[in-house]
Amino acid sequence: FAEQGFDSDTGDSVEAARLYADTEQYDIICVNQQLKDEPGEAFVGYCNTHERQKDTPILFLTEDADLVAADLNVRVDGVIHELNESQIEDQVVHFIELHLDPVFYEGRILFVEDDDEVAADILGQLKKTGDRVSYFKSADEASAEIDAVTVYGSHTDAYDLVITKIFFKTGMRGDELVARIRSYEDGRGFIPILAIPDQNNDQRRIALYRAGVNDFLPKPILPEELLVRIGNLITNKRLLDKVHDIRRELFALATTDKLTGCQNRHSLMDYSSKFVSQARRHEYPISLLVIDLDHFKAVNDNHGHAVGDKVLELTGELLNKSFRDGDLVARYGGEEFVVLMNYCDGENARVKAEKLRVDIEKLKPNDLDITTSIGVTALEPGATGDFEAMFHAGDQGVYKAKENGRNQVVFVAVD
C-alpha cells in the first residue's frame, strides 16, 4: 500500500498482530481469514474489545465466496472475497477511501415535516444512515436555523441536505423555504434539497425543480428509496465540496507568498485596479502604504539568508495581523510590502503607518534591530488617479524617508 500513500504494518500471526494493536492506533485493519497460528476471526474479536482499536474499521479477507459479515461472530465492516492480487488491492483501497475520505463521513440533515406520523417514519429511517439530523415542524423554524448556521461547504457543522414537505398547516410554505435557501450568496445557497410533495404531478414537479429543488421523494415513501436518494445527494454534495476546497487551495497557492503569508505580487497586480476603481465609483477614500525594511541587504550579508527569511516571515505575520480582512496586504518583492486600505483617508493612513513603524521596530526578529521606511498616499472621494499613480506616490514617500535617515513615515500626494 506504500504506492497508494499509506503507511502499514504487516503480521502473519494473531500473536504478532496483537502486539501491533497494543502499541499503534490504526485507521483501518485488514485481517485474513486464516493466520499462521489461529483463525483471523480470533484477532478480530480481540480488536472488537480492545480500548485502542474497538472503533477501527475492519476489513475481512476470505476465500469463501459465500461468507458474509453476518455469518461471523465478531464485528467486521467489510468482507473481500479473494480473487487475484490486483482485484484485492483495488477493493482494499476502495474500502480505505470509503472509511477515511471526508466525502463519506456522516452528513448533517435538516428535516422539516409537520405530520407527526410521517416524521416518525422518516426519522426512524434516518437513524440508519448514521447522519446527524435536526428536525423542525415548520418551515419558519427551519429558515431561522439556516440563518443561524452560517458555515457551509465542507465545514463539519454545515448542513449537507434539506428534506422538506411543501405544504404546511401554518406559516411559510416549503417552496418559500427553498427560495429562501437559494437566495443565500454563500455556500448555503447550494445545499441540496429533497422535497416531499403533496401533489405528485408533472407540472408541480417542474415548478419545484425551477424553484431549486434537487430531487423528490414520492409517496408512498419506500424506505430503501429514501436512503438511496439521501446517500446520493449527500455524496454528490460532499464531492462538490471537495472540488471547491481543492480550487480554494490552488487559488491560495497561486495568490499567496509562501514565505510571508501575504498576497503575492501577481495577486496585487490582479486586484489593485479593481480595488481602486470600486473606491472611485462608490466615492469612498482609499489609502496605500509602501513598506520597505531598512538595510535588509546587510541582514542577509551579515547573518545569512535563513535569518533574512525569518525577518520577512515575522514581518509578514505582523502585517497580516495589523490590518482588516477587507484590506489587501501583499509582498511586492524582496523586502518591500504594499498595503491597500479601503475606507481609509490620508490622515488615518498616516496614523496606521506610524503605528506599524513602531510595531516593526519593537518586533526584533532573531534579536535584530529592524526598522522600516514607509511611504503613504491616498485617494480621497472624487479624486482621480489609479493604482500606478498611487504606487508611484507611495514609492516616492519611501525614497524620501530613506533620504531623511530612514525609520520614518512620509506622505506624498497623488499627482
Side-chain angles (χ1 to χ4, degrees), residues 291-296 311-312 315 335 360 370-372 402:
I291 302 146
D292 195 293
L293 300 183
D294 297 327
H295 301 297
F296 186 73
V311 170
L312 292 172
T315 301
E335 69 275 20
I360 289 176
I370 300 296
T371 61
T372 186
K402 290 187 180 294

Side-chain angles (χ1 to χ4, degrees), residues 344-415:
C344 182
D345 59 25
E347 188 54 40
N348 278 323
R350 292 186 210 209
V351 172
K352 291 184 178 184
E354 179 58 28
K355 181 180 185 306
L356 179 63
R357 183 195 66 78
V358 173
D359 289 343
I360 289 176
E361 193 171 16
K362 291 178 179 177
L363 192 59
K364 296 191 180 299
N366 275 59
D367 292 324
L368 297 176
D369 291 322
I370 300 296
T371 61
T372 186
S373 298
I374 303 177
V376 184
T377 193
L379 282 181
E380 304 296 341
T384 58
D386 54 18
F387 173 73
E388 287 75 17
M390 292 187 76
F391 182 79
H392 178 73
D395 202 39
Q396 286 297 305
V398 170
Y399 180 78
K400 290 180 180 180
K402 290 187 180 294
E403 261 195 340
N404 295 337
R406 294 181 168 81
N407 192 24
Q408 57 188 275
V409 173
V410 173
F411 182 91
V412 175
V414 176
D415 292 335

Side-chain angles (χ1 to χ4, degrees), residues 110-114 136-143 146 162-183 192-198 204 207-216:
L110 180 71
F111 174 43
V112 201
E113 172 63 71
D114 61 357
F136 297 93
K137 284 193 171 186
S138 75
D140 299 272
E141 291 176 315
S143 179
I146 293 287
V162 173
I163 303 174
T164 181
K165 71 181 304 183
I166 301 304
F167 293 106
F168 292 87
K169 295 166 187 172
T170 59
M172 183 188 294
R173 297 195 314 270
D175 54 353
E176 293 175 310
L177 174 62
V178 171
R180 178 67 184 272
I181 292 170
R182 294 296 178 242
S183 71
I193 300 172
L194 177 62
I196 307 173
D198 294 83
R204 185 63 181 156
L208 288 170
Y209 275 131
R210 286 176 176 161
V213 166
N214 297 86
D215 200 0
F216 291 91

Side-chain angles (χ1 to χ4, degrees), residues 97-327:
E97 290 177 341
L98 187 66
H99 285 78
L100 299 186
D101 195 323
V103 167
F104 302 105
Y105 286 180
E106 65 178 18
R108 190 175 183 199
I109 298 173
L110 180 71
F111 174 43
V112 201
E113 172 63 71
D114 61 357
D115 185 309
D116 291 340
E117 186 176 342
V118 173
D121 288 342
I122 293 178
L123 285 170
Q125 293 302 317
L126 293 180
K127 285 183 180 179
K128 300 176 183 178
T129 67
D131 297 314
R132 293 176 291 159
V133 181
S134 299
Y135 167 55
F136 297 93
K137 284 193 171 186
S138 75
D140 299 272
E141 291 176 315
S143 179
E145 169 71 1
I146 293 287
D147 276 341
V149 180
T150 57
V151 294
Y152 54 86
S154 56
H155 193 288
T156 54
D157 290 326
Y159 279 108
D160 297 300
L161 176 66
V162 173
I163 303 174
T164 181
K165 71 181 304 183
I166 301 304
F167 293 106
F168 292 87
K169 295 166 187 172
T170 59
M172 183 188 294
R173 297 195 314 270
D175 54 353
E176 293 175 310
L177 174 62
V178 171
R180 178 67 184 272
I181 292 170
R182 294 296 178 242
S183 71
Y184 287 111
E185 294 184 358
D186 56 34
R188 290 174 296 172
F190 299 96
I191 302 171
I193 300 172
L194 177 62
I196 307 173
D198 294 83
Q199 300 174 4
N200 192 21
N201 61 67
D202 294 342
Q203 187 175 357
R204 185 63 181 156
R205 286 199 307 274
I206 290 170
L208 288 170
Y209 275 131
R210 286 176 176 161
V213 166
N214 297 86
D215 200 0
F216 291 91
L217 193 61
K219 294 181 179 178
I221 298 172
L222 300 177
E224 295 83 359
E225 183 180 6
L226 168 66
L227 298 181
V228 169
R229 289 178 187 268
I230 288 172
N232 288 342
L233 287 169
I234 291 179
T235 298
N236 289 337
K237 189 260 188 186
R238 289 290 181 84
L239 288 169
L240 283 173
D241 288 343
K242 194 172 183 179
V243 170
H244 290 313
D245 287 345
I246 292 170
R247 287 181 62 187
R248 281 192 289 270
E249 289 171 9
L250 292 173
F251 180 77
L253 287 172
T255 60
T256 304
D257 177 63
K258 186 176 180 180
L259 178 62
T260 64
C262 301
Q263 297 293 292
N264 59 25
R265 182 170 180 165
H266 177 76
S267 179
L268 175 67
M269 294 297 102
D270 260 6
Y271 289 102
S272 55
S273 58
K274 299 173 187 175
F275 213 88
V276 175
S277 63
Q278 273 197 324
R280 289 175 56 184
R281 184 165 59 252
H282 297 290
E283 297 190 337
Y284 58 77
I286 183 175
S287 297
L288 178 142
L289 309 183
V290 178
I291 302 146
D292 195 293
L293 300 183
D294 297 327
H295 301 297
F296 186 73
K297 183 177 183 299
V299 174
N300 281 332
D301 290 345
N302 298 330
H303 302 279
H305 286 278
V307 172
D309 285 351
K310 192 64 178 178
V311 170
L312 292 172
E313 179 188 343
L314 294 176
T315 301
E317 185 178 305
L318 173 64
L319 287 170
N320 282 323
K321 289 179 180 176
S322 299
F323 296 93
R324 301 163 298 181
D325 288 343
D327 298 332

